[in-house]
Amino acid sequence: MENLAFGFMGAGLGAGIVTLGAGLGIGRIAGQAMDGIARQPEAAGKIQTAMLISAALIEGVAFFNAVICMLIALK
Amino acid sequence: MYLENTPMYDRFSMSRLVGLVLIILPLILFGGQLQADEHADHSGAASTGDSHQETVEAEHGTDAETHGEAASAEAGGHGEHGEEDTGVLGLLTHHLMDSNHYEFFGMDFHLPVLSIGGYHLPITKHTIMLITAAILLIVLVFPRRKVGSGVPHGWSNFIEVLIVFIRDEVVYPNLGSKYGRKYLSFFLTAFFFVLFSNLLGMIPYGSSSTGNIAVTGALASVSLIVMVGSGMIIHGPLKYMGSFIPHGIPAFVIPILFPIEIAGILVKHFALCIRLFANMLAGHAVITVFLGLISSYFIAPVAIVGAVAISLLELFVAFLQAYIFTMLSSLFIGAAVSGEH
């Protein structure tokens, strides 16, 4: 029974750590994009597109790991 | 911003509807087939196999008694019936998961299972939503006016803004105007289909079929097939396979690098599938958990305000994920079409 509890705890901790990593990564991308747009407002469209793509790629990894955590938690 | 003197919107009409149906039909069948396998697994787990039988008995029997450790772990794993009636978790599974029941204004429909040539294709809640999205796609995106006949009004104005956005911001930058014109119908179909599927989850008695991994897997598979197929048709199979090998590397690295490149393509589309699935599932799970928090009159206002806020976020996410799905698949297909790596 103890092992099962540890498993659930691991899934919860894993979800939290995934959020931490994804938040850091996407926050960094968004911050740099804001800097870029502030310096060059006329390039806002291109910067936004590139920002969304890279944020989506990071988010994909984060969701992949979140799904793994969910699968562990629902077992 | 409206369409003028472009044959594009003209072409997205009757002749292209056939192609549209041809894209959507295998998608529905593929999704249904995966669900059929899942159903077969569940019924198999419930009816055959002695250990499973024991588990089900233990679960339905005396809950107050102390089970063995293994038995309770097994019940957690296979306990589909146990999860149905436990508060928030039951609400979650009822709201999010696919089922063969469909509730509509208090009526509960038990949906049939089609048998075509030995394959079982159950009609489920998400299948209904897929077909609804396809019908909406045909009805709402159908051209209302002749191209070049002045300024559009009303609904066609809204749809044309979206179409021009996808054309000018997504497809043409990634594929160029030569191939972009050819592939535009595919991307428009994918965008509007994902968008309508996402938005169907936001209306009462609806359910977002993109919150089902079989559906997003089918969508990503269509994107993968279009990518590899167009690369092979445009460049020829051998030359396309050759584009996986970077130039100017020593020969002994090729056997290692080639499988990695192949796996890279598969992982890209797997991520495409997981991203859409997890986004839609997670948003609806948060809404349901907020509503599940309601236990008294004092908590209810807070929970309802939170659920409304998350619902508004979900409306945004529905558009964003449809855009990102189209964007990324056009990026991948554009890389395959242009042939450089």
Side-chain angles (χ1 to χ4, degrees), chain B residues 147-227:
Chain B
V147 172
S149 65
V151 182
H153 300 285
W155 181 259
S156 63
N157 197 356
F158 172 66
I159 289 292
E160 285 188 18
V161 166
L162 290 178
I163 287 177
V164 169
F165 174 74
I166 292 296
R167 186 188 68 176
D168 290 343
E169 305 289 326
V170 177
V171 178
Y172 278 11
N174 285 321
L175 282 109
S177 57
K178 184 191 165 198
Y179 289 115
R181 180 67 61 81
K182 282 185 183 172
Y183 284 88
L184 197 54
S185 304
F186 169 70
F187 289 116
L188 287 174
T189 311
F191 175 77
F192 282 109
F193 186 70
V194 174
L195 180 65
F196 286 142
S197 297
N198 290 348
L199 288 178
L200 273 177
M202 298 307 298
I203 61 169
Y205 300 107
S207 164
S208 64
S209 51
T210 38
N212 185 334
I213 199 162
V215 174
T216 59
L219 281 165
S221 310
V222 171
S223 169
L224 178 69
I225 290 166
V226 169
M227 174 191 168

Side-chain angles (χ1 to χ4, degrees), chain B residues 241-274:
Chain B
M241 297 308 265
S243 73
F244 289 138
I245 304 165
H247 296 292
I249 54 162
F252 68 90
V253 200
I254 291 176
I256 308 166
L257 216 55
F258 190 67
I260 292 177
E261 292 282 336
I262 298 278
I265 283 179
L266 294 178
V267 165
K268 273 179 193 168
H269 286 85
F270 183 66
L272 202 65
C273 154
I274 293 289

